[in-house]
Amino acid sequence: MAQTSGATNQSTLLPLELVDKCIGSRIHIIMKNDKEMVGTLLGFDDFVNMLLEDVTEYEREEGGGRRVTKLDQILLNGNNITMLVPGGDIPENSV
Amino acid sequence: MSRKEALSQFINQIHGRPVVVKLNSGVDYRGVLACLDGYMNIALDQTEEYANGQLKNKYGDAFIRGNNVLYISTQKRRV
């Protein structure tokens, strides 16, 4: 009866399974140091390094503005990732 | 699970291609990717260093220690 691990329990979803479900769809990545990325997730590894396509990078600039960079395909270092949000909404006021 | 193959495939195919490497500091390095390892240590050829979008320096060969790397970016290749 007792549920010993989340992996055997079909009703719970492991955190990385949620990320796995996002493969092929748009994802919004919030990073340390006021950066955000929106792109299509192609894959990721155990460190949550991510392979992304058609990426838009949003950076906060000193003057209060924000810099937007478009990138074709990137291998993103997982080190600075803080949060992943399924769906590719453009961050309106966050950065 | 987790499509690690997509990453290894990407890593295998970008050797010799022009890439943009962005560091956590915000500095960009543009060059031809000579080598890449599991730490994201990178060797670049014909490297150009851009800070704030302006060319600051050029190097023939450059080694970038992986801990500084924010991302490695490539142009899509139409096949």
Side-chain angles (χ1 to χ4, degrees):
Chain A
M1 275 307 192
Q3 288 161 353
T4 49
S5 95
T8 56
N9 183 357
Q10 290 181 336
S11 67
T12 58
L13 187 65
L14 292 170
L16 285 180
E17 285 174 2
L18 178 66
V19 185
D20 194 74
K21 278 172 182 271
C22 295
I23 286 177
S25 53
R26 302 288 284 174
I27 192 167
H28 180 179
I29 300 165
I30 296 141
M31 313 193 57
K32 290 185 201 170
N33 52 45
D34 297 327
K35 260 195 211 28
E36 299 185 25
M37 304 268 187
V38 176
T40 305
L41 180 63
L42 299 184
F44 67 98
D45 65 12
D46 294 339
F47 303 107
V48 200
N49 297 320
M50 306 187 108
L51 184 60
L52 298 163
E53 197 172 55
D54 300 322
V55 184
T56 315
E57 177 189 7
Y58 301 89
E59 291 170 281
R60 192 203 296 258
E61 289 188 311
E62 297 102 57
R66 79 179 176 189
R67 179 185 300 187
V68 180
T69 316
K70 302 269 187 190
L71 303 154
D72 266 2
Q73 217 176 43
I74 68 168
L75 176 61
L76 181 67
N77 195 336
N79 216 0
N80 298 301
I81 294 174
T82 54
M83 185 158 70
L84 303 169
V85 183
D89 298 332
I90 296 164
E92 268 309 321
N93 42 27
S94 40
V95 170
Chain B
M1 270 290 278
S2 86
R3 309 281 173 89
K4 282 184 232 176
E5 314 88 62
L7 273 80
S8 40
Q9 193 190 353
F10 177 79
I11 289 163
N12 289 330
Q13 72 173 16
I14 59 170
H15 285 105
R17 285 175 59 188
V19 294
V20 180
V21 178
K22 186 164 188 141
L23 306 192
N24 290 316
S25 60
V27 180
D28 282 0
Y29 290 90
R30 288 157 193 268
V32 176
L33 191 112
C35 199
L36 169 68
D37 70 10
Y39 298 105
M40 286 202 195
N41 294 323
I42 294 164
L44 281 181
D45 277 339
Q46 304 158 40
T47 313
E48 295 175 329
E49 181 181 56
Y50 287 85
N52 304 313
Q54 288 176 317
L55 182 61
K56 295 287 178 188
N57 241 322
K58 286 189 181 185
Y59 310 102
D61 257 327
F63 170 83
I64 299 169
R65 196 176 137 90
N67 65 312
N68 302 294
V69 174
L70 174 67
Y71 63 68
I72 305 161
S73 166
T74 58
Q75 297 288 101
K76 254 180 268 185
R77 184 161 54 178
R78 299 282 168 217
V79 280

